[in-house]
Amino acid sequence: MNNRYKTALLFGAPGSGKGTQGRILGAIPGFYHFSCGEVFRRLNPDSELGQIFFEYSSRGELVPDEVTVRMWAESLNAHEVLGDFKPRSDLLILDGIPRTVEQARLMEDHIDVLMVIHLVCDDREEMIRRLRRRALKENRIDDADEKVIRNRWEVYEKETAPILDHYPMQRIREVNSLGSPAQVLSNVLTHLVPVQDRHFSTVEV
Ligand code: ADP
């Protein structure tokens, strides 16, 4: 159990800015960013897993838990073997996984969740605007249709939000995600830097 990855979760509804924050954090030495949605989108669309992903994501639904967690574990392991993820000096930043309580349970043997950063955004219209901008920029089918977006929020509330009760309250930090990326980042770092300092004595640049 001691060699579980030291981990922080980026948590929040679709459009709350997990991906933006995760990408910036991932550029800082000592943090390793893993986005589950990004790995899914990079799959070969003709592969079996690529087709499963397309089937669920185009409806705004979640890919089944076991398949998702297996894909996550294999992909992260490959990055560790390649040497771009260094568990001895990197705090793992997970974005978009776990997304159900069952995923959280399946991942428990692999990760030691030190902190959950909950990006909170009460302004639905702003989130819709963000998702629409992303649909145009990144050509995402799941952002293009408002019906699919609304379904993703429902799925978030029903299946993902309950994860917050799964982790001890003292490890959860709420961050308002309505500011500029730099403002939000500054608040996220206020919480994460002490965690990194506490658990890693050296950061490899
Ligand atoms: P968003 O946070 O905007 O919903 P993501 O890029 O994280 O976008 O995910 C896109 C889609 O990929 C999801 O709607 C879902 O179909 C699938 N997906 C991503 N992560 C998971 C996960 N942990 N479990 C199941 N499905 C997932």
Side-chain angles (χ1 to χ4, degrees), residues 12-16 18-19 35-41 52-65 68-69 71-72 95-100 103 107 131 134 140 142-143 148 152 155:
S16 60
K18 303 180 296 286
S35 156
C36 193
E38 245 169 55
V39 175
F40 272 138
R41 273 187 294 280
I52 295 178
F53 166 66
F54 182 82
E55 182 194 330
Y56 286 91
S57 66
S58 58
R59 295 196 299 250
E61 286 169 15
L62 297 179
V63 177
D65 293 331
T68 300
V69 172
M71 190 267 327
W72 165 77
D95 150 11
I97 189 166
R99 234 168 162 115
T100 64
Q103 288 179 16
M107 293 164 76
L131 293 171
R134 184 167 77 182
R140 281 187 51 169
D142 56 342
D143 285 341
V148 176
R152 265 154 70 209
V155 169

Side-chain angles (χ1 to χ4, degrees), residues 4-178:
R4 290 184 304 168
Y5 302 132
K6 305 254 179 288
T7 302
L9 306 184
L10 277 179
F11 194 84
S16 60
K18 303 180 296 286
T20 302
Q21 292 302 314
R23 274 192 295 277
I24 311 175
L25 285 171
I28 305 174
F31 294 101
Y32 185 80
H33 171 228
F34 183 102
S35 156
C36 193
E38 245 169 55
V39 175
F40 272 138
R41 273 187 294 280
R42 262 188 256 132
L43 292 170
N44 176 349
D46 297 326
S47 65
E48 198 188 335
L49 192 52
Q51 288 189 358
I52 295 178
F53 166 66
F54 182 82
E55 182 194 330
Y56 286 91
S57 66
S58 58
R59 295 196 299 250
E61 286 169 15
L62 297 179
V63 177
D65 293 331
E66 294 222 350
V67 184
T68 300
V69 172
R70 202 176 332 122
M71 190 267 327
W72 165 77
E74 283 170 8
S75 171
L76 191 60
N77 184 256
H79 285 288
E80 187 180 345
V81 171
L82 288 171
D84 45 346
F85 169 45
K86 298 179 283 301
R88 281 166 180 277
S89 60
D90 291 340
L91 178 65
L92 176 62
I93 306 289
L94 288 183
D95 150 11
I97 189 166
R99 234 168 162 115
T100 64
V101 173
E102 179 59 15
Q103 288 179 16
R105 285 205 192 99
L106 290 169
M107 293 164 76
E108 230 141 61
D109 287 348
H110 305 280
I111 57 175
D112 181 8
V113 177
L114 303 168
M115 191 167 276
V116 179
I117 301 284
H118 180 193
L119 295 172
V120 183
C121 178
D122 295 327
D123 185 345
R124 281 258 156 132
E125 294 314 308
E126 168 60 16
M127 299 226 268
I128 293 208
R129 274 194 294 277
R130 286 181 179 186
L131 293 171
R132 286 212 180 293
R133 272 202 302 273
R134 184 167 77 182
L136 293 174
K137 255 180 29 200
E138 298 177 16
N139 195 18
R140 281 187 51 169
I141 40 155
D142 56 342
D143 285 341
D145 180 343
E146 186 152 339
K147 258 202 338 250
V148 176
I149 295 181
R150 296 208 179 271
N151 190 36
R152 265 154 70 209
W153 271 328
E154 267 171 41
V155 169
Y156 172 79
E157 266 151 28
K158 209 167 112 225
E159 298 188 45
T160 306
I163 290 186
L164 288 171
D165 295 328
H166 180 82
Y167 295 106
M169 242 168 60
Q170 314 85 271
R171 298 204 193 154
I172 300 175
R173 300 287 181 280
E174 288 203 348
V175 171
N176 180 358
S177 73
L178 270 180

